[in-house]
Amino acid sequence: MKKELKPDSQPAPNAQAAAKKGLLPLLGPAFIAAVAYVDPGNVAANITAGARYGYLLVWVLVLANLMAVIIQYQSAKLGLVTGKSLPEILGERLHRGKRIAYWIQAEIIAAATDLAEIVGGAIALQLLFGLPLLAGGFIVGCVSLALLIFQNERRQKQFETIVIGLLVIITVGFLSGLVISPPDPAAAFKGLLPRFAGTDTVLIAASMLGATVMPHAIYLHSSLVNHRFPDLGSRDIPHLLRASKHDVAYALLVAGAVNIALLLLAASALAGQSGTDSIEGAHHAIESALGTTIGVIFAIGLLASGLASTSVGAYAGSEIMGGLLHVRVPLFARRLVTLLPALLILWLYPNPTWALVVSQVALSFGIPLAVIPLAVYTRRRELMGKYQDNTVMCWIMGAISLLIIALNLLLVVLTFMGIAV
């Protein structure tokens, strides 16, 4: 059973001690969640968008990142105020049949996430060392198992340190190319105008959205804040909510910069070149245009992305299952099970980059199922008390939900009814 918040007497010792040291000790949970926003699925989606359509879809990333900032803060707020995660609250309020159905869709989304992370890491190892994709995927899965040793409440800070270190490598790896091949400022600014240029651009936009606003990160963030501060008192909450705003803003500023940089790099260095709308093709073109060093740095960033995100994904899956089914499966066992579909894709599918893009489209369909309950619960006074959402935030969360649903419906109509944009 999840702990209840302490009465309004004294702040919890760990939060109180951190508060005396300033903001920095309170940062961390959002940076773990932010890794989900820079996983290999993002690399595939953003490179495909930039290589095929130049700067056309810059607006999708900017809008998605703005939505992500709001959503992740709302998830952190729900966790801090209630002392429970979003999956736990769903598990308490849904009947058994609905809980199981909800868990099944969440597991499908988690499988799509694992696919992106393992495949991306395998591609990175192939680029760096020439390893077969299947062998690379197995190695990434094994390393992610090792990283999970650090994932528990007692070692939360160590896990955060490792993940943030990998995030730094990811950032350097994916931003370095822009130094050599800067984007066209006028064209990039024009890309902020919302528009599509055919059915395929809607598919790519949905993939970019699914890769940026990750459903499992929404579920996970509400757990992370409570694992970081397990003995909250009610007097801690205002300070930690303020700290969470900074945590989310800084973490997603980094993640947003990486995503936009990937698209801008593809648009400036790869647009119009045949075969560059895959990670392998993009890497080859980057090496040819920008030099071997930049190509190696890019591949290292991709590898760090796969390793970090696959560990975070396993963590999220465990929290989702525990909250919805009230069953705790060891992370190692869960990691082994979710590794198998990704290895099958690497073995059987000839175009792993396109598999990444399609997996991110699947994620976009899972976003409303995480965002809508979050919007409903954060506005309820019986759950949130004086921290319930005000009218403006209710409207914003409603607009975000409707926008995501509209994009998904548009994708279905365009794809299955053959209507051209």
Side-chain angles (χ1 to χ4, degrees), residues 176-260:
S176 58
L178 287 180
V179 178
I180 308 298
S181 179
D184 179 351
F189 184 78
K190 186 178 178 181
L192 295 174
L193 177 66
R195 65 198 191 282
F196 295 110
T199 301
D200 188 57
T201 60
V202 180
L203 176 65
I204 299 299
S207 176
M208 294 163 70
L209 178 65
T212 304
V213 186
M214 299 287 275
H216 73 284
I218 300 171
Y219 296 120
L220 178 60
H221 203 160
S222 54
S223 293
L224 288 170
V225 290
N226 286 311
H227 290 176
R228 179 64 180 274
F229 303 106
D231 299 309
L232 282 182
S234 56
R235 287 176 58 187
D236 294 318
I237 294 175
H239 182 72
L240 292 178
L241 287 176
R242 288 192 297 270
S244 290
K245 289 180 181 179
H246 291 276
D247 193 25
V248 170
Y250 298 154
L252 293 186
L253 177 63
V254 173
V258 170
N259 282 317
I260 293 172

Side-chain angles (χ1 to χ4, degrees), residues 1-7 80-84 92 226 230-234:
M1 182 66 68
K2 189 71 175 176
K3 51 89 178 165
E4 298 294 332
L5 291 178
K6 292 182 176 181
L80 288 171
V81 173
T82 65
K84 299 174 183 178
E92 291 175 354
N226 286 311
D231 299 309
L232 282 182
S234 56

Side-chain angles (χ1 to χ4, degrees), residues 82 89 93 373-389 394:
T82 65
I89 295 173
R93 292 173 174 247
L374 179 64
V376 170
Y377 293 145
T378 53
R379 69 187 297 177
R380 289 190 176 173
R381 189 167 186 84
E382 75 270 18
L383 271 175
M384 304 298 291
K386 65 181 180 180
Y387 301 105
Q388 72 177 125
D389 290 344
C394 289

Side-chain angles (χ1 to χ4, degrees), residues 112-134:
T113 302
D114 278 331
L115 169 63
E117 293 152 355
I118 297 296
V119 171
I123 292 173
L125 286 174
Q126 184 179 66
L127 296 176
L128 288 168
F129 306 110
L131 291 178
L133 288 174
L134 186 59

